[in-house]
Amino acid sequence: DIQLTQSPSFLSAPVGDRVTITCRASQGVNSYLAWYQQKPGKAPKLLIYAASTLQSGVSSRFSGSGSGTEFTLSISSLQPEDSATYYCQQLNTYPTTFGQGTRLEIE
Amino acid sequence: QVRLVQSGPEVQRPRASVRVSCRASGYTFTDYYIHWVRQAPGQGLEWMGWIDPKSGGPNISRKFQDRVTMTRATSIGTAYLDMSRLGSDDTAIYFCARSQMATLSFDYWGQGTLVVVSS
């Protein structure tokens, strides 16, 4: 199975800052990578698909990049509502797998 | 609007079985795969498998193949996850989610169903 490793596992940043989360795959996944946001007690919400395409209705403060084995999710102009756990997911090879998650705290 | 509505919480004894349902609305049920993903308390996301509502064909993760069944009832737009021989490590929230193809991301999710396995 393809392993996805996210870094960092925890991130704290003030309102207005820009942060970047990295997702590294144990083997190439082309651009079949998605990013999700999950808040406590809620289902994950799709933010980015195909590595860099913003899901409809998602704030343009979110952006994704990368291909192959290294991907990033960036969030600009942090807002309090961005406090959540973020997961990457590869869909190139089944079983689809998720990263372990990055918890983002807004100071 | 697209909605995936799951059945309510379950408490089951060890070695029992459980069924979780996922009722879809707001789109053509047979046009999208239904996936099942679980999340143990305080843990990450684990994909269990998908069902193609058009064909009824499932693709179940090797980890669960011997005790998980995925089915659907197209007339009522509902997918089902059946899991047998439950153990305490099956305590988790179980989510259904849809994707238009296997290689596409999960754009809508159900609200989750808590399954607790406890004696």
Side-chain angles (χ1 to χ4, degrees):
Chain A
D1 298 358
I2 294 178
Q3 304 235 12
L4 298 180
T5 303
Q6 291 183 227
S7 59
S9 294
F10 175 78
L11 185 54
S12 182
V15 171
D17 245 24
R18 176 185 176 89
V19 297
T20 296
I21 299 168
T22 298
C23 176
R24 290 187 173 87
S26 60
Q27 56 187 275
V29 299
N30 296 298
S31 293
Y32 293 107
L33 190 106
W35 290 96
Y36 299 86
Q37 176 193 68
Q38 187 180 32
K39 297 184 178 181
K42 299 293 188 182
K45 173 187 174 183
L46 177 64
L47 300 174
I48 301 283
Y49 63 93
S52 61
T53 304
L54 192 67
Q55 171 70 353
S56 175
V58 173
S59 171
S60 59
R61 297 185 296 104
F62 293 88
S63 62
S65 67
S67 68
T69 61
E70 186 152 333
F71 301 85
T72 61
L73 172 71
S74 296
I75 313 171
S76 64
S77 186
L78 280 174
Q79 300 299 306
E81 61 265 28
D82 298 332
S83 179
T85 300
Y86 294 84
Y87 293 94
C88 58
Q89 177 200 23
Q90 68 80 20
L91 298 113
N92 185 75
T93 305
Y94 271 79
T96 180
T97 47
F98 294 87
Q100 83 279 13
T102 295
R103 188 161 71 89
L104 172 61
E105 176 187 274
I106 308 302
E107 295 171 4
Chain B
Q1 74 281 25
V2 173
R3 292 191 73 195
L4 298 174
V5 178
Q6 299 183 223
S7 49
E10 299 266 0
V11 179
Q12 298 291 342
R13 302 289 192 199
R15 295 177 298 282
S17 299
V18 71
R19 165 171 277 200
V20 179
S21 67
C22 173
R23 178 168 50 86
S25 61
Y27 72 97
T28 301
F29 180 60
T30 51
D31 284 351
Y32 289 78
Y33 287 60
I34 294 290
H35 300 258
W36 291 95
V37 176
R38 75 177 186 178
Q39 186 170 39
Q43 302 300 307
L45 302 166
E46 180 177 32
W47 179 78
M48 301 179 68
W50 88 56
I51 185 167
D52 177 354
K54 186 173 295 183
S55 67
N59 178 12
I60 300 172
S61 171
R62 278 190 313 274
K63 176 176 178 178
F64 302 105
Q65 275 178 358
D66 62 341
R67 61 191 189 98
V68 162
T69 304
M70 296 180 186
T71 58
R72 92 296 190 215
T74 54
S75 61
I76 57 172
T78 301
Y80 301 96
L81 169 71
D82 290 281
M83 180 179 286
S84 62
R85 304 195 306 278
L86 293 168
S88 58
D89 56 350
D90 292 316
T91 293
I93 298 173
Y94 289 75
F95 295 100
C96 62
R98 74 165 202 176
S99 72
Q100 195 163 25
M101 291 171 56
T103 51
L104 294 182
S105 46
F106 303 173
D107 61 351
Y108 282 90
W109 294 63
Q111 83 276 17
T113 296
L114 175 63
V115 175
V116 175
V117 182
S118 174
S119 55

